[in-house]
Amino acid sequence: MSDKTDATTTVGGVSGERLKSYIERIERLEEEKNGIADDITDIYTESKGFGFEPKIIRQIVRLRKMEADARAEADALLETYRAAVGV
Amino acid sequence: MSDKTDATTTVGGVSGERLKSYIERIERLEEEKNGIADDITDIYTESKGFGFEPKIIRQIVRLRKMEADARAEADALLETYRAAVGV
Amino acid sequence: MSDKTDATTTVGGVSGERLKSYIERIERLEEEKNGIADDITDIYTESKGFGFEPKIIRQIVRLRKMEADARAEADALLETYRAAVGV
Amino acid sequence: MSDKTDATTTVGGVSGERLKSYIERIERLEEEKNGIADDITDIYTESKGFGFEPKIIRQIVRLRKMEADARAEADALLETYRAAVGV
DNA sequence: ATTGCGGTTTTTGCCC
DNA sequence: GGGCAAAAACCGCAAT
């Protein structure tokens, strides 16, 4: 590091401070994400305690998601057609 | 459906109402999770606009996570020892 | 390499001949796969010549696949239920 | 549908019959492609049973492909030169 | 322990 | 060449 350069200054064309900020924001969000994933796992575990097979629940969730996605895709297709035709 | 059975009651050993609740909780959390994943994507996109390669950032994040995990692991081990010895 | 050992013999616990065979089978199949992918590309190109937007066609294909998958998933779920209940 | 229009006729500038044909050809080819992909997976699985790590095999296949591509590229370049010079 | 499976991430190809 | 969608690869869990 050269004189009169602190950690927040551009070094070799790379703004260390900004990079650090991005990384920390990402790490924070990743933590949140993992926390939620854990919550989901907990629900599966809890439901298992009431006799629901996680496998079945997952299948249901997946099916519902597929259906929702298919619906969204159908809407998008319609939109494409409308754009192609001009309203 | 048998007599004297409402929608919230056990049917064939399956409590429909409770199941529905679990599914909806899971779906809600999945949505949250995806929202956060999108936020993360946004950050990568934004950082790219400032010349940071997402690929590199991901590597850094991964590395830091590994280091953090290793440290946590070491701490846990130490804790185990202390417990074994009695502080 | 030891004497009286040809290329087809186990070397260091690895059967070179068998490995070679696997690799070649995989490569042959990969080629076939790429050939088919090219055929698909050709169809998109040809259809474009008749005024069909590849983008739309792709969307339709995607939608139909999603619907087919959702149907398959629903069937699988039903199967799971039947197994859980015992027919 | 308007009068005097059969299923094979242009509707709103779109020939339904031809479109259908394209889509079905694509879908058929996609299925073939997936079938081959499954075959490849099977080979990896089988090879694993003989102690070959799929991960390693994949690396070898990828490497050989890169080499083959590089050679083809070099040949093409040579061809270009020859054409430019007139043999 | 080992293998299938689900999810996530990384890479590739495509179209603009 | 740069973004977007599809495919492949890697990984971690879970079940047996």
Side-chain angles (χ1 to χ4, degrees):
Chain A
M1 303 261 178
S2 62
D3 290 342
K4 294 178 178 171
T5 297
D6 67 36
T8 70
T9 308
T10 297
V11 178
V14 173
S15 168
E17 201 57 23
R18 186 182 289 274
L19 176 60
K20 193 157 178 288
S21 163
Y22 281 137
I23 289 172
E24 283 168 359
R25 282 167 64 197
I26 289 167
E27 286 175 342
R28 187 179 317 274
L29 288 170
E30 291 280 5
E31 267 182 59
E32 271 188 61
K33 188 155 74 80
N34 290 334
I36 292 174
D38 288 348
D39 290 346
I40 293 172
T41 299
D42 287 347
I43 295 180
Y44 280 113
T45 303
E46 182 193 337
S47 72
K48 194 172 186 175
F50 282 90
F52 296 113
E53 283 298 315
K55 184 190 175 103
I56 293 184
I57 309 254
R58 280 180 194 281
Q59 246 176 310
I60 295 171
V61 170
R62 207 182 319 135
L63 175 58
R64 283 166 60 104
K65 185 169 192 313
M66 277 179 161
E67 286 168 347
D69 287 351
R71 226 170 298 124
E73 181 73 14
D75 288 349
L77 182 58
L78 178 60
E79 223 27 64
T80 305
Y81 278 143
R82 297 174 83 143
V85 177
V87 175
Chain B
M1 307 265 178
S2 62
D3 291 340
K4 293 179 177 171
T5 297
D6 66 38
T8 69
T9 307
T10 297
V11 177
V14 174
S15 167
E17 202 56 24
R18 186 181 288 274
L19 174 61
K20 192 157 178 288
S21 163
Y22 281 136
I23 289 170
E24 284 168 358
R25 281 167 65 197
I26 289 167
E27 284 175 342
R28 180 180 302 275
L29 287 170
E30 290 279 6
E31 268 182 57
E32 269 187 62
K33 188 154 74 81
N34 290 335
I36 292 174
D38 288 349
D39 290 347
I40 293 172
T41 298
D42 288 347
I43 295 179
Y44 279 114
T45 303
E46 183 192 337
S47 72
K48 193 172 186 176
F50 283 90
F52 297 113
E53 284 298 315
K55 190 170 175 170
I56 305 294
I57 309 252
R58 283 180 193 280
Q59 280 177 348
I60 296 172
V61 170
R62 211 183 312 137
L63 176 61
R64 282 167 58 103
K65 186 171 191 313
M66 284 170 65
E67 284 167 354
D69 289 351
R71 221 170 302 123
E73 186 72 15
D75 287 351
L77 184 59
L78 177 60
E79 228 21 69
T80 303
Y81 283 147
R82 297 173 82 146
V85 178
V87 178
Chain C
M1 304 269 179
S2 62
D3 290 340
K4 294 181 177 170
T5 297
D6 66 36
T8 69
T9 307
T10 296
V11 178
V14 173
S15 167
E17 202 56 23
R18 186 181 289 275
L19 175 61
K20 193 158 178 286
S21 163
Y22 281 136
I23 289 172
E24 285 168 357
R25 282 167 64 196
I26 288 167
E27 285 175 342
R28 187 180 315 275
L29 287 170
E30 291 279 6
E31 269 181 56
E32 271 187 61
K33 189 154 73 79
N34 290 335
I36 292 175
D38 288 348
D39 290 346
I40 293 171
T41 298
D42 287 347
I43 295 179
Y44 279 114
T45 303
E46 184 193 336
S47 72
K48 195 172 187 176
F50 283 89
F52 297 112
E53 285 296 316
K55 184 192 174 96
I56 294 183
I57 309 255
R58 282 181 194 280
Q59 243 176 312
I60 295 171
V61 170
R62 194 162 54 230
L63 174 58
R64 283 167 58 103
K65 185 168 192 313
M66 276 178 161
E67 287 167 349
D69 287 351
R71 225 170 298 124
E73 181 74 13
D75 288 351
L77 182 59
L78 178 59
E79 222 28 64
T80 305
Y81 278 144
R82 297 173 83 144
V85 177
V87 177
Chain D
M1 305 263 179
S2 62
D3 291 342
K4 294 177 179 172
T5 297
D6 67 39
T8 69
T9 307
T10 297
V11 177
V14 174
S15 167
E17 203 57 25
R18 186 180 289 274
L19 175 60
K20 192 158 179 285
S21 163
Y22 281 136
I23 289 170
E24 284 169 358
R25 281 167 64 196
I26 289 167
E27 286 175 342
R28 180 179 303 274
L29 287 170
E30 292 278 6
E31 268 181 57
E32 271 188 61
K33 190 154 72 79
N34 290 335
I36 292 174
D38 289 348
D39 290 346
I40 293 172
T41 298
D42 287 347
I43 296 180
Y44 280 114
T45 302
E46 183 193 336
S47 72
K48 193 171 186 177
F50 283 89
F52 297 112
E53 282 299 313
K55 190 171 176 169
I56 304 294
I57 308 254
R58 283 181 194 280
Q59 279 178 348
I60 295 172
V61 170
R62 212 182 310 139
L63 176 61
R64 282 167 60 103
K65 186 170 190 315
M66 284 171 65
E67 283 168 354
D69 288 351
R71 221 171 302 122
E73 186 72 15
D75 288 350
L77 183 59
L78 178 59
E79 230 17 72
T80 304
Y81 282 147
R82 297 174 82 146
V85 177
V87 175

